[in-house]
Each structure stands twice: as structure tokens, then as C-alpha cells.
Amino acid sequence: MSTAALVSLALLGALVGFVVPRLARRFTATPVGPRRRRDGNLGTEALRRDRRDPRALLGPLLAAGVFAGLAVTQADDPALPVFLVVAAVGLVLARVDLVCLRLPDPLVLGAGLLALGGLTAAALLSGTPGRLAGALGGATVAGAAHVLLALLPGSRLGFGDVKLAAVLGLPLGWLGRDALLAGLLLPHVLHGGLVLGLLAARRVRRDTLLPLGPALLTGAWLAALLT
């Protein structure tokens, strides 16, 4: 991939990062009062506060890094646009899950439909139908594995996490068995390490609920980069 193309995709990721908070707010904000009900958002004052907060730049920088990483490692893959679209929706899902511990079905379903449609088109255009079968198999394996985890006694795994894992199984299965295996294991290693660190620092208690969605998405992204 040329430097110009890589920079363009990184800038596109940064743009997505600027939009993510506003999209996520639609799924996390609870309107209170007549003005908010009419506007359907948090209002211009909240947006002004976001712009003044130096941390507001972290999102665009993170999104730029996500897009750049995929562009570098999957530059020759015909499904690169699909990976980028799933990553963009994933950034919104991660923010929503961090804020309110849920993964909205419209976002998860939308990511799944976009991934399935995009990978089908990529398989047909590149003449590699076997990779589409791998993607469908990946979704089945990832979904089934997380259903079993969710049904274990004492499990805190929600079915929103199960559905997201199945969706992420599509691009991971497209990339192959190694990527799928890494994408299944890495999220739980990351999440477990985070939980242990927070417990050691006494930032959470043993019964504190923590979102798994960001770990699922980060693990899938790392799997795509490393395999």
C-alpha cells in the first residue's frame, strides 16, 4: 500500500473517531426535559464541552491507529473495506459498552449484515468462495463457543457479547484458522488481565460488572494484525 493511501485511511479513521461519540450518545443518552426530547441529543452545550476536553483527541487518534493497523497488515486483502467498516461500528460499540454495559442489537446486527454482505462480495469478486465458507464457519464457532461460556454456572457473559463474538467470527474466519483461534483467546486474556489489575489496585470489587465488548473488539483487531 502506498504511503498516500495509508495516510488517507488513517485520516479516515481519525474522522470516524470524531463522529463516534455523537453516534454512541444516541444509544447511551437518556433525554430529560422537553428540550432534549425535541432535539434527540444532549444539546450544543454538551458538544462544546466535548470539544474543550483535551481527552476528546484520544478517540480520533485511537481510531486512526485502528484503521492504519488494518491497512498495513491487510493491504492486499480484498476484504479490507469490510474490516474497516466493522472496525468503525466496533468503535461505537466499545464506547457504548464502556458507558452503559450494553451492546445495542441494531449496531451488532448492522455490523453483522455489513460484514456478511461485504465478505460475500469480496469472495465473488476475487474468485475465492472458500474464504466465505471459512467466514461463516468462523461465525458459527465463535458464536457457539461463547454460548457455552454464557451458560456456565456463575458466568457473567451476556448474550450481547455472544452476538458480537459471532459477528467478529466472520472476518476472523475469513482470515483463517489461526486468526480465529487468536480472536477467540485474546479477548479473554486481555479482559482477565484487566480485571486482575483493577482488583489489585482496588479499583473494583469481585462482584463489579465490567464490559467485555471492548476486549472482544480489541482481541479481534490484534488477531487480524498478528496472523
Side-chain angles (χ1 to χ4, degrees):
M1 175 175 290
S2 68
T3 302
L6 177 59
V7 171
S8 296
L9 288 178
L11 290 175
L12 176 61
L15 179 61
V16 169
F18 277 112
V19 175
V20 162
R22 300 186 186 191
L23 294 177
R25 194 174 292 126
R26 296 177 179 272
F27 296 92
T28 59
T30 303
V32 288
R35 178 164 183 174
R36 281 188 177 179
R37 284 197 291 269
R38 287 197 303 269
D39 293 343
N41 54 42
L42 292 182
T44 56
E45 181 59 31
L47 295 179
R48 284 196 292 269
R49 285 198 301 269
D50 283 348
R51 294 191 190 102
R52 290 196 298 265
D53 189 348
R55 293 175 298 177
L57 292 177
L58 294 178
L61 290 175
L62 173 64
V66 169
F67 272 49
L70 291 172
V72 169
T73 57
Q74 306 300 328
D76 297 327
D77 198 306
L80 175 60
V82 181
F83 301 153
L84 296 177
V85 169
V86 173
V89 180
L91 289 166
V92 181
L93 281 166
R95 188 177 180 95
V96 173
D97 203 17
L98 286 168
V99 171
C100 61
L101 291 174
R102 73 186 186 96
L103 295 164
D105 282 341
L107 288 176
V108 177
L109 178 60
L113 292 176
L114 289 170
L116 181 58
L119 292 176
T120 300
L124 294 176
L125 292 174
S126 62
T128 55
R131 298 190 74 178
L132 178 60
L136 294 173
T140 302
V141 170
H146 284 80
V147 166
L148 293 177
L149 288 175
L151 294 177
L152 289 176
S155 174
R156 296 183 180 183
L157 195 70
F159 275 90
D161 300 314
V162 172
K163 287 178 279 190
L164 178 58
V167 168
L168 295 175
L170 286 167
L172 291 172
W174 171 276
L175 291 174
R177 182 182 60 188
D178 291 344
L180 177 61
L181 181 60
L184 288 174
L185 295 178
L186 281 174
H188 299 283
V189 173
L190 294 171
H191 186 71
L194 175 64
V195 171
L196 290 176
L198 291 174
L199 284 172
R202 298 187 177 182
R203 299 292 300 274
V204 299
R205 300 183 305 179
R206 293 178 64 87
D207 59 348
T208 302
L209 291 177
L210 296 173
L212 181 62
L216 289 172
L217 291 157
T218 302
W221 179 72
L222 289 174
L225 267 58
L226 298 175
T227 56

